Each structure stands twice: as C-alpha cells, then as structure tokens.
Amino acid sequence: MRKLLFFDIDGTLCMPGEAPSQATVEAIRAARANGHLAFLSTGRSVFSIPEQVRAIGFDGVIASAGAHAEVNGEVILDDPMDPDLCREVQEVLAAQDAAYVLECYGANFSDMERVRCWPGYHERLEAFFEVVCETLHIRDASEYRGEPCYKLCFFAQDAGRMEKLHEALDSRFSFVFFDNLFPGLDAICGELNRHEVDKGRALEAICRRLGQTPADAIAFGDSANDLAMLRAAGLGIAMENGQEAVKRAADAVCPSCAEDGVARTLAVMGLT
C-alpha cells in the first residue's frame, strides 16, 4: 500500500536559510521511486518555498499553514483571510509596535522597518531581520494593494505586548512561536493562524482527493503549526529539535533535522 508522506520544511527538512541535506533529498526521491507520494506541508506561502526544496520533487503542497493545498499542480483548497479581518490584524499589531509579514500567494509584504525603531535594537536583530527579508523575498508594506492574504507572521518586542496581542486576537487566531528555530533571539516571533485553518484539515483534503485515508499518511514536523497534521496522520513523527509540546503529542520522535532525521526514519521504515 502506498504511503502519503507529508514534510514540514523549516526545522524538519532543513533549518531556516539552509538547504536540505543530500541524504534528505535522496531519501524523499527514493520513497517516490518506490511508489509513495510526497507532499510539502509548510507554514510558508507557496511563493516562499525555497527552490532547493522544490527541486527535490513533490506530488503536491500544503502551504500557508493549511490555507492552501495542491495535488499535482491542481488547487484543491484555497482559503484566504477575509480582507476586513486582515486589516484589523494589521492595526492590532501596529498598536503594539509589532512588525508583520503579510503572506500572499505571489508575494509577501512587511512593515519590517518598524523594528529598527525598537528600544535596544542591535546588530543581531538586524542580521536576523535581513535573513527573514531575504528568505521570504519581502516587499515593503506600502506596495500592498489588497492581494488575498493567507497568513501573517509577527515580530513583537516583549511578553507584555504579546499579552495584549493575545487579548485582542485569541478568539480568532492561534499563536505559533518559533522559539525552537531561533533560540536566544531578543524578539518574539511566530505566526497567526485562523482557528478554522490548519495543516491537519489540508492533509485530510489531500487524502480524500487521492481516494486514501489519513491512516495511510505519515507526517513529519517540529512546531505547533504541525500539531494538527501529526494528529491527523496515521503516524505523526516529531523532530528531536522540535518544540516539547509537539514531541509529547507525536506518535514517535525521530533524530533531529541536523542528524538527517527524516532520511534515517524513512530508511528504517523501509520506504526508501
């Protein structure tokens, strides 16, 4: 029976700003050659998927943390945010002096310049935000013209401001933090996901489209936006470098991203 394999990118296939290892590339290609199907399942927009990752070869993608999904180039799920809600979130974030990235299908927009006015802004933060802007190919928020937005990333200064963001947005969004990807950073960064959108529902949609069930799926992830996917799959595997809550919720934990955990696990399972 063929398996449907779902892979998060950042922290799972590779770390942010890095390319997947050759072992990971070869393992996914070998699994596909053996008749299994492979899908990306990322919080990134389709636009932001690195070319080094695309080049591995996949049978489809879940993007924007579950708001968009494709199988063999066919869009089977597309659920952008309501424009009024998108504007409201931008206003809430701006009120707390938090920067944001609007993630759209064909472009990403940000008011990242805001962070340079934070008290105590320093070179390490500057280097981090430069990597973010380069990795996500960010355009200035002034260029945004109302393109459908699927998700927002945020960058806040401190816990006090985060508490106010929670108060304003908790009823409609879940907060995902990237502390395991950027340890020791003097900023709180993560993404806002609508409660009705997640990778698990997108995984189920792909399974239905292919005439299979989630029991046939194996999913790999490391952060909170992977939780619904790991729970929906027949086998949910967390990376050793993942967040503790994700590892506790998973069916199994594999070696870290740096240790080629995906490749080693696919081999042990006899899929490559």
Side-chain angles (χ1 to χ4, degrees):
M1 180 76 178
R2 73 177 180 181
K3 294 295 183 181
L4 308 183
L5 309 175
F6 293 82
F7 305 98
D8 173 54
I9 298 177
D10 298 295
T12 300
L13 292 184
C14 53
M15 297 304 288
E18 299 179 6
S21 70
Q22 191 59 33
T24 298
V25 172
E26 291 174 359
I28 294 173
R29 288 176 177 170
R32 294 184 73 214
N34 285 339
H36 308 293
L37 302 184
F39 301 86
L40 290 172
S41 185
T42 178
R44 291 173 180 252
S45 63
V46 171
F47 173 74
S48 303
I49 296 172
E51 183 54 40
Q52 306 101 306
V53 174
R54 291 179 186 274
I56 296 172
F58 291 91
D59 299 284
V61 60
I62 295 170
S64 300
H68 181 90
E70 301 176 8
V71 176
N72 294 321
E74 175 191 359
V75 176
I76 66 165
L77 175 65
D78 192 68
D79 187 12
M81 194 180 305
D82 178 82
D84 290 337
L85 179 59
C86 184
R87 283 190 291 270
E88 180 186 345
V89 176
Q90 291 175 68
E91 292 169 0
V92 169
L93 291 169
Q96 297 305 320
D97 211 21
Y100 61 78
V101 178
L102 300 175
E103 297 194 4
C104 305
Y105 185 86
N108 296 323
F109 304 89
S110 179
D111 65 344
M112 201 68 78
E113 284 297 321
R114 177 185 303 276
V115 303
R116 292 188 170 91
C117 299
W118 288 357
Y121 188 76
H122 53 75
E123 289 183 359
R124 186 161 183 263
L125 278 175
E126 175 70 23
F128 167 74
F129 287 120
E130 285 183 357
V131 169
V132 170
C133 290
E134 181 179 351
T135 301
L136 299 181
H137 309 291
I138 287 173
R139 295 162 57 181
D140 191 82
S142 63
E143 300 179 46
Y144 180 63
R145 296 294 181 268
E147 293 89 339
C149 176
Y150 295 82
K151 192 198 73 182
L152 288 90
C153 284
F154 65 85
F155 306 89
Q157 297 175 61
D158 53 57
R161 293 177 187 270
M162 277 305 310
E163 183 176 348
K164 292 179 180 178
L165 291 176
H166 275 292
E167 290 173 359
L169 299 173
D170 267 354
S171 63
R172 289 160 293 178
F173 293 89
S174 59
F175 286 72
V176 174
F177 300 99
F178 297 142
D179 50 306
N180 66 310
L181 295 179
F182 308 108
L185 184 70
D186 293 331
I188 302 171
C189 59
E191 63 187 24
L192 291 166
N193 297 321
R194 287 169 288 155
H195 289 311
E196 66 271 21
V197 170
D198 61 56
K199 293 183 182 181
R201 297 177 206 192
L203 178 151
E204 291 168 352
I206 288 177
C207 290
R208 286 194 299 272
R209 175 67 180 80
L210 294 170
Q212 293 188 233
T213 71
D216 301 321
I218 301 171
F220 294 81
D222 70 293
S223 68
N225 70 3
D226 297 313
L227 276 170
M229 173 180 73
L230 298 184
R231 289 169 174 153
L235 180 62
I237 302 174
M239 309 302 294
E240 179 57 43
N241 56 279
Q243 294 171 321
E244 290 303 318
V246 178
K247 291 192 283 187
R248 288 194 299 269
D251 298 307
V253 177
C254 75
S256 70
C257 178
E259 298 172 303
D260 293 325
V262 166
R264 291 168 63 181
T265 302
L266 293 177
V268 167
M269 297 178 71
L271 301 177
T272 59

